[in-house]
Amino acid sequence: MLVELFQDAARGCRQRSPLNHALLTAAAEDLAAGGVTASVMAGSERDRRGTVPGLRFAGSLHRLVLEGKAPSLAKHYPSVGGATDLGKLWSDAEPVLAEHADELRALVRSTVVQTNEPGRTAPLYGGLLVAASRAAAAVDRAEPYPVRLLEIGASGGLNLRPHRVGYRLADGRVLGDKRSRLQLDPEWTGLPPVDLDLPLALVERAGCDLNPVDVSTLDGQRQLSSFIWPDQLDRWRRLQRAMRLAVDDPVKVERAAGPEWLRRQLAQPRPGVLTVVWHSVVWQYVSPAQRAQGRTVLADAAARATEESPLALLVYEPRERVGGLFRFDLLLRLWPAGISLHLGSGSGHGIPFTWDEQRWS
């Protein structure tokens, strides 16, 4: 089973990360043969698919590179200035695995994949504009609602400041914060079904995570950086800028399970404010029991939603495989308006993204 999960992770990297594809393909073969990878992964043999052990393995090895503990391997990692030689990658990785087997085993077993990809902020921003506008239109309100944003599985909280990011469109316009240190090219096909000049007012932000990452610390920064695929330098630079922005504009991410935290957050209505519950690429890490509890909490809150205190659910999660890769859909539900929209689809990193005109109504 573990070999299959490594192979699956390798396939997921094939088109976007030649380094991780080659590394995980070789590691899967070594694992099947009982090589050093089997020693590193000892104790993780029964890991379920949602824990993505292959990516934990690759991220743990990247962590050693970032800490300067594997100079012979670092020459292959563009994230630290290297140039990948796929033909020699595994022969240079194998001695590192052997030398640091105990440390890597501990990292793999203790680490939870935390991509916290800031590129997902782009579809989130568009979705928030739609949510605030549609909620207002449902009650003939002249101005969009101000927003309270609640994120489940927030990790380091990098997606909790969408109004502090600039979004550079193909036509030259810049949405959001034109002076932000984090400027994204969202690579949108189409546009959100809303007046893009409408202001987005975020009056409250909060998040929770079972294992929150403190991006104000070097350890937290290295943890998030280790899960960036090392040869995706655009994502690497985006993450570094997003972490600096998070330090400048801190938002608390509470250590808590989603259902319990959400129940507390939704216990008191916010008159005149649209509460938006958001999560992205989290569902696969959540147990069926926790999913069921979360649905119950949200259903109870939806039943209490009023025109004065509306509620929205905005999610970006994988829905189905397309050409061997998952398609990620942006879905919006609004209460009490009873509106349910499929807004578009994109990659797991949020960029590129296609707004789906066929499903706006």
Side-chain angles (χ1 to χ4, degrees), residues 218-229:
L218 179 60
D219 181 73
Q221 292 166 11
R222 282 177 171 168
Q223 182 177 347
L224 289 186
S225 297
S226 69
F227 286 109
I228 294 292
W229 296 345

Side-chain angles (χ1 to χ4, degrees), residues 16-78:
R16 294 171 293 174
S17 177
L19 187 155
N20 267 359
H21 175 255
L23 176 69
L24 289 169
T25 298
E29 295 173 356
D30 183 65
L31 184 62
V36 66
T37 306
S39 175
V40 170
M41 298 304 297
S44 301
E45 293 87 352
R46 297 183 180 275
D47 284 6
R48 61 183 179 86
R49 183 175 299 275
T51 66
V52 285
L55 295 186
R56 288 177 12 238
F57 169 87
S60 297
L61 195 56
H62 192 191
R63 176 71 181 252
L64 289 189
V65 170
L66 295 177
E67 292 176 348
K69 295 178 179 179
S72 61
L73 188 57
K75 63 186 179 184
H76 296 285
Y77 279 63

Side-chain angles (χ1 to χ4, degrees), residues 129-146:
L129 289 178
V130 176
S133 177
R134 288 296 181 97
V139 295
D140 294 323
R141 180 184 171 111
E143 298 293 331
Y145 283 92

Side-chain angles (χ1 to χ4, degrees), residues 239-250:
L239 177 70
Q240 308 312 309
R241 291 193 293 268
M243 290 192 295
R244 290 195 293 272
L245 179 60
V247 171
D248 293 342
D249 177 30

Side-chain angles (χ1 to χ4, degrees), residues 63 114-118 151 154-161 181 209 211-228 238-253 255:
R63 176 71 181 252
Q114 297 267 27
T115 53
N116 203 195
E117 171 56 57
E151 184 174 19
S155 186
L158 299 187
N159 289 322
L160 279 169
R161 47 194 62 76
R181 68 164 71 238
D209 198 280
N211 299 282
V213 179
D214 184 354
V215 297
S216 69
T217 67
L218 179 60
D219 181 73
Q221 292 166 11
R222 282 177 171 168
Q223 182 177 347
L224 289 186
S225 297
S226 69
F227 286 109
I228 294 292
R238 192 159 68 213
L239 177 70
Q240 308 312 309
R241 291 193 293 268
M243 290 192 295
R244 290 195 293 272
L245 179 60
V247 171
D248 293 342
D249 177 30
V251 180
K252 180 177 176 56
V253 178
R255 185 181 298 275

